[in-house]
Amino acid sequence: MDFNTLFSDFGGYTITGLTVGAIYALVALGYTLVYGVLRLINFAHSEVFIAGAFAAIWGWAALGLDRDSVASGFGSIMLYLLVGALIAAAASAGTATVIERVAYRPLRKRNAPPLAFLITAIGASIAIAEAFGIYTRRLPVGAPTVVKNDVVFTVFGAEVTVVQLLILGSALAMMVALDLFINRSRIGRGIRAVAQDQNTAALMGINKDRIILVVFVIGGVMAGVAGMLYDIRIGTLTYSVGFLLGLKAFTAAVLGGIGNLRGALIGGLLLGLVENYASALWGANWKDLVAFVVLVVLLMFRPTGLLGESLGRARA
């Protein structure tokens, strides 16, 4: 256990952990939204993230950027970011819509047991991941340098870069916007009503199928933007990367209290910090183990997660 490594660059490990955790939190929102409404663990959501990440890279390629390209000029960079975010969000939202329409809706119509949903989710996840693997020949795909990782300022000796600010700022802005949308908009009230009681909501005139589709689309948009941010931070993408990242995002949702939007944010940021601190103390090989051990220990004492409030009971 190397405390010297941790404390010598505590600020750096904290900033990096928050950056990683912000990506986890964005993906975790999809898990927590679907679970809050359907009581369904959508394990195919990790591939919704992958669809957005690949779509952003292919969108930039259509604009003439390859893995060796470096964007320059504020206007051009903003254009690439906007195009990448829109394409990634659209691709992930489309993928989530197809999964809901093709995989889950027929099961709901037939009142299938929960096990059928679980098996279908796993099958859809594997099918989509393998489709990307076949298309990319299982080779890593490089992303262009859309945003240079320049240092902006220093806090307590820790360097804060443009990429870190972009990821944290984008993630926090989207989470705040989603929280306001769920708690203050008409559609948001419909989502909370369906989450609380689907049958009663239907009697009140709410189209639950439409609400469920909206939930999948919103989760897809969040995952798509997270995929683009992942491209910017990591720079390379493989078809299988969604599996572990999806598990960690699901862990973040459970950690904060699955079905709770603010819990997904807290759980994602906390998981990112725990992982990064563990890599400093015991080495990078231990970070995944420590993250899941922390989840198990927390759930032993707090089974509903840190916040534990269901989406159906959320209030403005």
Side-chain angles (χ1 to χ4, degrees), residues 3-4 13 26 28 40-41 43 65 143 157 178 202 248 272-273 280 283 292 298:
F3 284 102
N4 290 332
Y13 283 111
L26 278 178
L40 164 69
I41 307 299
F43 282 115
L65 297 178
L178 177 61
K248 290 183 178 180
L273 289 173
F292 291 113
L298 176 67

Side-chain angles (χ1 to χ4, degrees), residues 232-265:
I232 292 173
R233 181 177 183 272
I234 303 299
T236 58
L237 181 67
T238 59
Y239 77 97
S240 60
V241 74
F243 175 74
L244 183 58
L245 191 142
L247 279 180
K248 290 183 178 180
F250 174 66
T251 300
V254 175
L255 194 63
I258 192 163
N260 187 305
L261 297 180
R262 296 170 187 176
L265 168 61

Side-chain angles (χ1 to χ4, degrees), residues 29 170-185 218 222 261:
L29 288 171
S170 301
L172 290 174
M174 292 187 69
M175 292 171 200
V176 170
L178 177 61
D179 189 74
L180 292 174
F181 175 79
I182 293 295
N183 285 302
R184 300 188 181 182
S185 71
I218 293 174
M222 296 291 167
L261 297 180

Side-chain angles (χ1 to χ4, degrees), residues 67-82:
R67 64 184 306 163
D68 298 319
S69 300
V70 179
S72 60
F74 180 78
S76 297
I77 291 173
M78 294 304 295
L79 175 64
Y80 293 141
L81 288 175
L82 179 61

Side-chain angles (χ1 to χ4, degrees), residues 223-313:
V225 175
M228 185 203 70
L229 296 175
Y230 180 91
D231 292 336
I232 292 173
R233 181 177 183 272
I234 303 299
T236 58
L237 181 67
T238 59
Y239 77 97
S240 60
V241 74
F243 175 74
L244 183 58
L245 191 142
L247 279 180
K248 290 183 178 180
F250 174 66
T251 300
V254 175
L255 194 63
I258 192 163
N260 187 305
L261 297 180
R262 296 170 187 176
L265 168 61
I266 294 174
L269 297 178
L270 180 61
L271 184 63
L273 289 173
V274 168
E275 271 192 3
N276 235 35
Y277 293 156
S279 66
L281 290 173
W282 294 289
N285 293 333
W286 285 81
K287 68 177 185 177
D288 296 336
L289 173 63
V290 171
F292 291 113
V293 167
V294 168
L295 172 67
V296 172
V297 172
L298 176 67
L299 292 181
M300 289 172 60
F301 298 97
R302 180 86 177 171
T304 57
L306 292 173
L307 300 187
E309 181 186 5
S310 68
L311 183 64
R313 298 187 179 183

Side-chain angles (χ1 to χ4, degrees), residues 93-126:
T95 302
T97 299
V98 171
I99 291 172
E100 195 277 329
R101 289 288 185 109
V102 176
Y104 297 142
R105 184 170 294 189
L107 296 178
R108 291 205 316 274
K109 298 297 183 183
R110 292 172 173 81
N111 293 318
L115 183 59
F117 285 92
L118 178 61
I119 294 173
T120 301
I122 295 173
S125 175
I126 294 173

Side-chain angles (χ1 to χ4, degrees), residues 7 37 58 163 170 234:
F7 291 122
V37 172
W58 293 334
V163 171
S170 301
I234 303 299

